[in-house]
């Protein structure tokens, strides 16, 4: 047994080729023909010669391989294949059928090493591919020895180079089909020779490729948006993926959907697009943050290309953090959360940015009355290294000057941000991406106060196909958020700074090696370190000057996770996940000690326990099981249920309904325990037809150790923050109904959400109990929400979009009366916490888009979008405050941020 070198095997191959041309006798393949023969004391060469005489087959071999020994085999009604096995195996020899008339005999190890049976079977196809027309895959001089080739590639949008997820790739080889993954990538194995691929994706023209396949290679496929609908089977397949998946409560948005939605100030907006979907809400007009299924805004994990974002908005909520021109895909998990995600209680917002075009330079942008943006992408090294840069800025101060209020008209608001992404393809199986993001915001309200806040993110992702069904994604990121609030008053000015920096490392392995199983496993490590809280005053009045600094806490979190999506049968599938988390608060730190049996109050501090740098101050751990079950009741309908347990070790400390930039991020400590939630979801999903889909979902969520606040809590410049915080429990429950029309000249959706979010706080003392221990609504509890969205393609290049929303007003704590205390004056008396509500919220937006240059052969495209935000001028209250004039009873006042229609014209371009 030894390998045969090329110089030995080549003469045999050339001889076989010559004989294959010489013999043209029709009939059954030689190896399948029946042999009847007997031999006595014959050499192998003699036996083979006799077999040649009895059949049209010819054997090719080197005589020295056959030896000189004699044999006496008897063949009775067996195939030639079996006869040769009997004869040659004792000699360590093997054979293969080159064509219908030629059989090559050689050392078995050499045949396996150099060429396989499939190679010879496809040799004719390879010869035909050499002279045929089509895209060559691999070199014709190094044809696959196995007769098969692995084809990899990526399916993208031809205009913006964004990946197309779920595209269907069909080949002319029997049973060889696949779909693209979350990155738009695909992989399949094809026989060598002339092959055809057909690529379908919803909303795009079908693409057919003729390939001359010689060996492994890469075939990328840009698709153009279709002017007509795809075949019904393609649309149906895309819809049915939702039916077959175990994922419940997953909201998906493409870049196209985000850009089509009407939005505030004419800017396409990720967060505003999410707010049109069931289960997602905000506390009011242009508010920072969002709430998902009864969770606080800090209970949402926000990722941008795997980098952790702590703030999802610009300009106090008027704009989203995300530049829609660089976004590829948005996934919001609000029901079943896979085990690879953790650290938050309510949802995961996973925003994936697109990669730069690797073939040509592309420019996208837009300009409107409030903001402008420009995105540039293209190849640094063609087909290998690309770059993407996106820049945005606003110049919206002028709109504030139009408001008929002195303080508002003398205010300022602006922001800028930029994204950069460098992608390098080492090989078809390995890709590295390096991303960066920076933003800066400024807001000043007249001469009363102002905010400045900045965010920096840097990250990398390394994707590698490890082969044999294994894929690995390694990511690392660093983030730094710095905030500042100040007063511009020259007599009583002040400045307060805080912030948080964080590091995150994650490795995830995806395995599809077991039939019916998709395994995901890995680890994640995070470090949170708050910047010191620095306070200073440089007021004109000397007695007002001052300076102070309070060190904040830090901690790290380590998690191991594994998740398995299992297809039990055509009807049943299940997802099983487990995540183990270990958290430590780290020194240097000082922990206040309080008098035993006394109220936790600053007056009862009896000492401080100090911890050195890096020393463990407090540790917590948690086991997070995840479960989801899907039952396909019909080809177009399914029932799903899920359960998740989640822990959260970092908290946004804010006692306002909507967060502000200066709010403090606080890690868990001995006095602030990690929050925990148990989430249950049940849903029914139905594809009514090829055009319509519908769903109904219910959920229940139980929360422990929720962070609550004492009345009039002082949260800033406080080195004993735990004295202002309380620990409570919570529950959230509701139902969501959603109907969507997916295709046709008119598309749209309608959703209704019923949601309740309640809290209860019972402490050992009256001062630590809220509302006498009764349940009370959270500040963002809004029982009823209705969203309706419609897109009508009036003409091929003109689209009308209309959006309407209604929701119950949010809860407030109201002043119900005032009373006089001697000569000290009047004091307000407040209701139980969140016992009243502001007026209900409703609004309609409309936009009309006129596009030019939509003919696909033209590279330049542009469009004008005319929009009106708040069409009928509803004065929706943002907040209610109470004011008392001299010798007058207490009066309630409502503040509306945008109480009149806001028109906008935005020009977008692409070339």
């Amino acid at each position: 047994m030894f390998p045969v070198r090329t110089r030995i095997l080549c003469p045999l191959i050339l001889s076989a080729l010559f004989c294959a041309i010489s013999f043209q006798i029709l009939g059954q393949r030689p190896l399948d023909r029946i042999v009847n023969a007997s031999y006595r004391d014959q050499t192998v060469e003699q036996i083979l010669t006799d077999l040649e005489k009895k059949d049209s087959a010819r054997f090719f071999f080197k005589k020295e391989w056959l030896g000189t020994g004699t044999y006496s085999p008897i063949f009775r009604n067996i195939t030639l294949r079996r006869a040769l096995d009997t004869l040659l195996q004792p000699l360590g020899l093997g054979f293969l059928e080159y064509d219908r008339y030629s059989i090559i005999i050689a050392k078995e190890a050499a045949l396996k090493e150099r060429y396989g049976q499939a190679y010879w079977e496809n040799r004719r196809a390879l010869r035909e591919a050499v002279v045929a027309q089509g895209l060559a895959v691999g070199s014709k001089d190094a044809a696959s020895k196995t007769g098969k080739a692995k084809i990899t590639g990526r399916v993208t949008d031809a205009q913006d180079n964004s990946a197309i997820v779920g595209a269907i790739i069909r080949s002319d080889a029997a049973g060889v089909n696949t779909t693209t993954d979350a990155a738009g990538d695909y992989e399949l194995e094809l026989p060598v020779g002339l092959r055809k691929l057909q690529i379908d994706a919803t909303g795009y023209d079908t693409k057919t490729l003729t390939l001359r396949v010689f060996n492994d290679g890469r075939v990328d496929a840009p698709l153009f948006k279709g002017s007509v609908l795809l075949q019904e089977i393609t649309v149906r397949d895309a819809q049915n993926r939702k039916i077959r998946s175990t994922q419940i409560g997953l909201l998906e948005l493409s870049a196209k959907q985000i850009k089509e939605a009407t939005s505030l100030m004419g800017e396409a907006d990720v967060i505003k697009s999410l707010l049109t979907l069931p289960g997602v809400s905000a506390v009011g007009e242009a508010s920072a943050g969002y709430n998902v299924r009864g969770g606080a805004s800090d209970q949402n994990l926000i990722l941008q290309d795997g980098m952790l974002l702590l703030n999802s908005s610009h300009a106090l909520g008027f704009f989203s953090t995300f530049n829609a021109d660089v976004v590829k895909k948005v996934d919001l998990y609000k029901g079943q959360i896979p085990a690879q995600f953790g650290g938050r209680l309510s949802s995961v917002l996973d925003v994936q940015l697109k990669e730069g075009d690797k073939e040509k330079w592309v420019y996208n942008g837009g300009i409107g009355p409030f903001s402008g943006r420009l995105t540039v992408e293209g190849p640094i090294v063609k087909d290998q290294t690309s770059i993407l840069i996106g820049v945005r800025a606003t110049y919206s101060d002028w709109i504030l000057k139009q408001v008929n209020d002195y303080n508002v008209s003398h205010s300022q608001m602006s922001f800028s941000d930029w994204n950069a992404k460098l992608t390098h393809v080492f090989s078809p199986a390995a890709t590295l991406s390096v991303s960066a993001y920076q933003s800066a915001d400024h807001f000043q309200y007249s001469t009363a106060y102002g905010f400045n806040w900045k965010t920096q993110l840097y990250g990398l992702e390394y994707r590698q196909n490890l082969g044999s069904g294994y894929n690995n994604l390694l990511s690392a990121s660093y983030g730094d958020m710095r905030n500042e609030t100040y007063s511009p008053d020259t007599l009583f000015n002040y400045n307060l700074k805080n912030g948080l920096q964080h590091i995150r490392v994650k490795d995830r392995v995806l395995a599809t090696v077991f039939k019916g199983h998709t395994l995901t496993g890995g680890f994640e490590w995070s470090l949170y370190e708050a910047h010191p809280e620095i306070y200073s005053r440089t007021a004109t009045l000397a007695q007002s000057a001052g300076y102070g600094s309070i060190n904040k806490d830090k901690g790290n979190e380590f998690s191991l996770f594994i998740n398995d999506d299992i297809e039990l049968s055509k009807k049943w599938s299940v997802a099983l996940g487990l995540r183990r988390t270990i958290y430590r608060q780290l020194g240097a730190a000082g922990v206040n000690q309080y008098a035993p049996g006394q109220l936790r109050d600053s007056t009862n501090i009896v000492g401080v326990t100090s911890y050195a740098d890096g020393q463990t101050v407090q540790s917590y751990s948690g086991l997070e099981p995840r479960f989801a079950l899907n039952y396909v009741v019909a080809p177009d309908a399914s029932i799903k249920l899920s359960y998740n347990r989640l822990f959260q070790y970092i908290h946004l400390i804010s006692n306002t309904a909507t967060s502000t930039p200066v709010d403090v991020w606080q890690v868990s400590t001995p006095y602030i325990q990690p929050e925990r939630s148990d989430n249950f979801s049940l849903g029914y999903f139905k594809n009514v037809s090829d055009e319509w889909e519908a769903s109904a979902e219910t959920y229940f969520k139980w929360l422990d150790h929720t962070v609550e606040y004492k009345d009039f809590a002082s949260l800033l410049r406080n080195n004993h923050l735990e004295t202002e915080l309380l620990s409570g429990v919570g529950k959230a429950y509701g139902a969501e109904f959603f109907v969507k029309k997916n295709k046709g000249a008119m598309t749209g959706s309608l959703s209704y959400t019923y949601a309740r979010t309640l809290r209860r706080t019972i402490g050992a003392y009256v001062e630590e109990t809220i509302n006498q221990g009764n349940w009370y609504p959270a500040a963002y509890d809004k029982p009823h929400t209705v969203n309706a969205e419609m897109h009508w393609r009036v003409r091929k290049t003109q689209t009308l979009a209309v959006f309407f929303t209604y929701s119950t007003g949010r809860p407030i704590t109201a002043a119900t009366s005032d009373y006089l205390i001697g000569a000290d004056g009047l004091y307000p008396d407040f209701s139980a916490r969140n016992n009243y509500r502001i007026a209900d919220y409703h609004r309609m937006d409309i936009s009309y888009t006129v596009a030019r240059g939509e003919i696909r052969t033209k590279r330049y495209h542009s469009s004008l979008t005319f929009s009106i935000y708040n069409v009928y001028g509803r004065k929706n209250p943002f907040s209610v405050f109470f004011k008392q004039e001299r010798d007058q009873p207490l009066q309630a006042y409502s503040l509306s941020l945008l109480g009149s229609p806001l028109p906008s014209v935005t020009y977008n371009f692409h070339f």
Side-chain angles (χ1 to χ4, degrees):
M1 302 289 289
F2 58 91
V4 179
R5 299 185 180 278
T6 305
R7 66 174 183 269
I8 298 176
L9 193 57
C10 282
L12 298 178
I13 297 172
L14 292 174
S15 299
L17 289 172
F18 174 80
C19 292
I21 298 172
S22 302
F23 293 95
Q24 300 295 328
I25 304 173
L26 297 176
Q28 189 180 23
R29 299 179 73 101
L31 290 176
D32 296 327
R33 293 174 191 160
I34 300 300
V35 175
N36 284 285
S38 61
Y39 303 94
R40 183 175 182 82
D41 297 329
Q42 298 286 307
T43 64
V44 174
E45 183 180 1
Q46 290 172 332
I47 295 172
L48 291 175
T49 301
D50 183 69
L51 289 173
E52 278 188 339
K53 295 177 181 179
K54 297 178 182 298
D55 208 303
S56 59
R58 290 295 180 265
F59 300 105
F60 300 92
F61 50 83
K62 293 183 72 68
K63 291 183 179 181
E64 57 265 30
W65 292 347
L66 305 182
T68 58
T70 59
Y71 303 89
S72 302
I74 299 174
F75 305 134
R76 290 286 182 263
N77 294 319
I78 62 173
T79 63
L80 179 59
R81 185 189 308 277
R82 186 175 174 185
L84 291 177
D85 281 335
T86 304
L87 185 65
L88 300 176
Q89 278 187 358
L91 300 175
L93 298 175
F95 59 92
L96 58 84
E97 187 180 51
Y98 172 69
D99 58 21
R100 297 178 65 87
Y101 315 104
S102 307
I103 297 173
I104 296 175
I105 296 172
K107 289 290 186 179
E108 189 172 12
L111 292 175
K112 290 182 179 179
E113 179 184 346
R114 300 299 300 169
Y115 296 96
Q117 181 68 46
Y119 172 85
W120 304 104
E121 293 177 351
N122 289 281
R123 185 66 177 176
R124 186 187 303 277
L126 286 168
R127 291 199 302 269
E128 293 173 351
V130 171
V131 298
Q133 298 296 316
L135 177 65
V137 182
S139 172
K140 65 181 180 181
D141 298 323
S144 170
K145 299 167 186 175
T146 64
K148 294 185 178 181
K150 183 172 72 174
I151 310 299
T152 59
R154 178 168 296 178
V155 180
T156 58
D157 186 300
Q159 291 186 345
D160 60 15
N161 200 43
S162 61
I164 299 176
V165 181
I168 304 169
I169 296 96
R170 299 182 177 90
S171 75
D172 58 352
V176 183
N177 304 300
T178 188
T179 59
T180 56
D181 61 15
D185 294 328
Y186 73 91
E187 177 182 315
L188 48 73
E189 191 175 59
L190 292 175
V192 297
L194 275 176
R195 298 296 168 214
K196 287 188 180 296
L197 287 185
Q198 178 180 301
I199 304 172
D200 288 328
T202 304
Y204 293 85
D205 284 339
T206 298
K207 187 165 193 170
T208 302
L209 298 174
T210 299
L211 307 180
R212 298 185 294 143
V213 180
F214 298 104
N215 212 323
D216 296 353
R218 184 177 181 86
V219 179
D220 292 327
L223 302 185
F224 289 100
K225 292 177 180 175
S227 56
V228 295
L229 295 172
L230 292 176
Q231 301 172 17
E232 292 182 0
I233 189 172
T234 304
V235 176
R236 187 180 298 115
D237 186 85
Q239 291 177 336
N240 285 346
R241 284 198 303 273
K242 297 179 182 179
I243 300 297
R244 296 189 299 267
S245 170
T246 57
Q247 198 67 56
I248 181 173
L250 172 63
L251 301 178
E252 299 175 290
L253 286 176
S254 66
K256 180 181 178 183
Q257 289 173 300
I258 295 168
K259 292 179 180 180
E260 286 180 345
T262 57
S263 185
L264 175 64
M265 298 186 181
E267 174 88 13
D269 194 293
V270 170
I271 301 300
K272 299 300 185 295
S273 297
L274 290 174
L275 292 173
T276 68
L277 301 173
V280 187
S281 62
V283 296
E285 197 99 62
S287 58
Y290 59 94
N291 308 101
V292 178
R293 288 188 171 180
S297 60
D298 70 319
Q299 293 174 356
N300 304 311
L301 177 65
I302 305 173
L303 301 173
Q304 179 175 273
D305 263 4
M307 301 179 292
L308 177 64
L309 262 174
L310 297 174
N311 191 345
S312 63
S313 65
H314 283 305
L316 297 177
F318 282 92
F319 294 87
S320 166
T321 294
F322 307 101
N323 182 349
D325 284 344
V326 302
V327 171
K328 176 179 69 175
K329 189 174 182 291
V330 176
D331 292 329
L332 178 68
Y333 299 86
K334 60 187 179 76
Q336 193 258 335
I337 298 177
Q340 58 262 35
F341 298 112
R344 298 295 187 274
L345 301 186
S346 289
S347 74
V348 177
L349 179 62
D350 186 13
V351 179
Q352 302 165 35
L353 305 184
K354 64 182 183 180
E355 298 177 357
D357 196 300
K358 294 184 176 64
E359 295 183 356
K360 61 182 182 298
W361 286 95
V362 179
Y363 305 87
N364 288 285
I367 186 169
F370 314 108
S371 63
R373 65 192 193 279
L374 175 65
T375 300
V376 180
E377 57 180 298
I380 297 176
V381 179
K382 191 173 182 180
D383 297 326
Q384 188 173 19
T385 307
S386 67
I387 191 168
L388 170 76
I389 300 175
V391 181
R392 288 193 304 168
T394 186
Y395 31 82
S396 52
D397 282 357
W398 71 269
I399 189 175
L400 300 177
K401 300 185 185 303
Q402 310 305 311
V403 179
N404 189 24
D405 180 284
Y406 176 84
N407 288 324
V408 176
S409 63
H410 286 74
S411 299
Q412 304 171 18
M413 181 178 67
S414 64
F415 80 86
S416 63
D417 66 20
W418 60 264
N419 291 84
K421 185 171 183 177
L422 181 71
T423 305
H424 178 73
V425 178
F426 293 99
S427 70
T431 302
L432 175 68
S433 296
V434 181
S435 300
Y437 170 81
Q438 288 195 17
S439 68
D441 286 74
H442 170 70
F443 176 81
Q444 181 176 313
Y445 182 72
S446 190
T447 59
Y449 60 86
F451 294 121
N452 292 312
W453 66 101
K454 298 179 179 180
T455 296
Q456 298 181 49
L457 293 176
Y458 306 97
L460 62 84
E461 286 189 341
Y462 179 70
R463 297 175 179 271
Q464 185 171 15
N465 184 339
L466 303 175
S468 302
Y470 291 94
N471 289 273
N472 187 66
L473 173 61
L474 174 65
S475 63
S477 64
Y478 167 80
D480 189 11
M481 180 186 68
R482 296 178 182 268
N483 306 319
E484 176 186 22
T485 183
Y486 66 92
S487 170
D489 189 291
T490 56
L491 294 178
F492 299 98
N493 60 46
Y494 68 88
N495 183 284
L496 178 64
K497 298 179 180 180
N498 63 28
L500 180 77
Q501 61 181 341
H502 51 86
I503 300 173
R504 189 166 179 266
V505 178
K506 183 175 182 178
D507 188 58
R508 187 198 71 192
V509 177
L510 175 67
T512 56
V513 293
F514 304 107
K515 185 177 181 180
H517 292 258
T518 301
L519 282 163
T520 304
F523 74 89
E524 182 177 352
W525 176 84
S526 300
L527 172 69
Y528 307 102
E529 184 170 4
H531 294 297
E533 200 170 32
I534 301 174
Y535 176 79
S536 62
R537 301 189 73 162
T538 57
T540 302
L541 299 180
Q543 65 269 28
S544 299
Y547 176 88
S549 176
I550 297 176
N551 290 327
K552 307 301 290 185
D553 300 310
K554 66 179 178 180
N556 65 27
E557 180 183 347
F558 179 78
S559 302
L560 292 171
F561 58 84
I562 185 168
N563 202 87
D564 189 9
D565 288 304
I566 309 169
E567 185 177 349
L568 300 174
S569 67
K570 291 183 178 180
K571 288 185 173 292
W572 292 94
S573 56
V574 64
L576 302 174
L578 189 64
R579 186 179 179 94
R580 174 69 172 176
T581 58
I582 301 173
Y583 166 83
R584 294 190 307 149
Q585 182 195 355
L586 302 174
V591 177
N592 296 319
Q593 303 299 321
Y594 296 87
Q598 299 294 317
L599 176 69
R600 196 163 65 206
D601 185 85
S602 59
T603 59
N604 292 323
I605 297 177
V606 296
V608 178
T609 302
S610 297
Y611 293 86
D613 188 25
Q615 187 176 359
T616 299
V617 179
Q618 179 71 39
S619 63
Y620 297 101
S621 63
L623 196 62
E624 304 180 16
R626 315 285 176 87
F627 168 80
L629 181 69
N630 181 36
Y631 174 61
V632 179
V633 297
D636 56 0
S638 66
I639 297 174
K640 305 181 184 184
L641 65 88
S642 71
Y643 164 74
N644 295 284
R645 168 165 285 188
L646 303 107
F647 286 87
Q648 181 166 330
Y649 298 96
I650 183 169
H651 324 275
L652 182 62
I653 305 302
S654 173
N655 57 356
T656 59
T658 178
S659 58
T660 65
V662 77
D663 293 334
V664 176
W665 282 94
Q666 173 66 49
V667 300
S668 294
T669 68
Y671 299 111
I672 306 173
Q673 298 184 63
E675 298 176 83
R676 187 187 73 193
S677 71
D678 292 281
N679 304 341
F680 301 85
S681 297
L682 174 66
Y684 176 75
F685 302 83
K686 171 75 172 177
N687 289 335
V688 182
S689 67
D690 294 334
E691 294 187 4
W692 292 88
E693 63 178 270
S695 63
E697 296 182 60
T698 63
Y699 66 89
F700 177 82
K701 182 185 300 183
W702 179 264
L703 301 104
D704 279 318
H705 307 303
T706 59
V707 178
E708 306 295 335
Y709 307 91
K710 293 182 178 179
D711 292 333
F712 310 107
S714 176
L715 303 180
L716 301 176
R717 301 174 56 205
N718 190 338
N719 59 3
H720 43 80
L721 188 62
E722 63 272 6
T723 63
E724 305 293 332
L725 305 180
L726 303 173
S727 179
V729 296
K731 60 182 177 181
Y733 55 89
E736 301 166 1
F737 302 92
F738 184 60
V739 177
K740 183 179 181 181
K741 188 174 185 291
N742 290 301
K743 68 177 188 175
M746 185 176 293
T747 60
S749 63
L750 174 66
S751 68
Y752 165 72
T753 302
Y754 173 75
R756 295 306 313 271
T757 307
L758 305 176
R759 297 287 186 266
R760 184 167 66 180
T761 306
I762 303 176
Y765 303 93
V766 174
E767 295 87 346
E768 298 177 340
T769 300
I770 298 176
N771 286 10
Q772 299 178 335
N774 297 317
W775 289 96
Y776 59 92
Y780 39 86
D781 174 69
K782 301 167 71 174
H784 304 284
T785 300
V786 176
N787 290 321
E789 189 174 18
M790 183 272 290
H791 297 271
W792 178 29
R793 186 174 289 275
V794 181
R795 295 182 178 178
K796 187 175 180 180
T797 59
Q798 298 180 26
T799 304
L800 172 68
V802 180
F803 173 71
F804 173 79
T805 183
Y806 163 85
S807 62
T808 308
R810 66 176 177 84
I812 60 169
T813 303
T816 56
S817 62
D818 51 32
Y819 54 93
L820 180 66
I821 302 181
D824 294 335
L826 287 170
Y827 289 86
D829 183 25
F830 287 90
S831 69
R833 184 170 296 188
N834 295 339
N835 203 41
Y836 288 83
R837 291 184 182 273
I838 63 176
D840 291 352
Y841 181 98
H842 53 88
R843 188 190 83 242
M844 177 180 285
D845 308 330
I846 188 170
S847 70
Y848 196 86
T849 300
V850 180
R852 300 185 63 188
E854 287 297 316
I855 300 175
R856 296 194 304 269
T857 54
K858 294 184 178 180
R859 185 175 177 182
Y860 177 78
H861 309 273
S862 64
S863 66
L864 275 175
T865 298
F866 304 87
S867 65
I868 303 177
Y869 184 89
N870 195 10
V871 172
Y872 51 83
R874 164 73 172 174
K875 294 184 181 298
N876 287 300
F878 177 76
S879 65
V880 173
F881 61 95
F882 299 88
K883 188 176 180 181
Q884 186 173 33
E885 303 293 342
R886 186 174 181 179
D887 299 327
Q888 296 293 324
L890 197 66
Q891 295 289 329
Y893 295 86
S894 173
L895 172 65
S896 297
L897 295 179
L898 294 172
S900 59
L902 181 63
S904 175
V905 180
T906 304
Y907 172 72
N908 299 296
F909 59 85
H910 169 90
F911 62 92

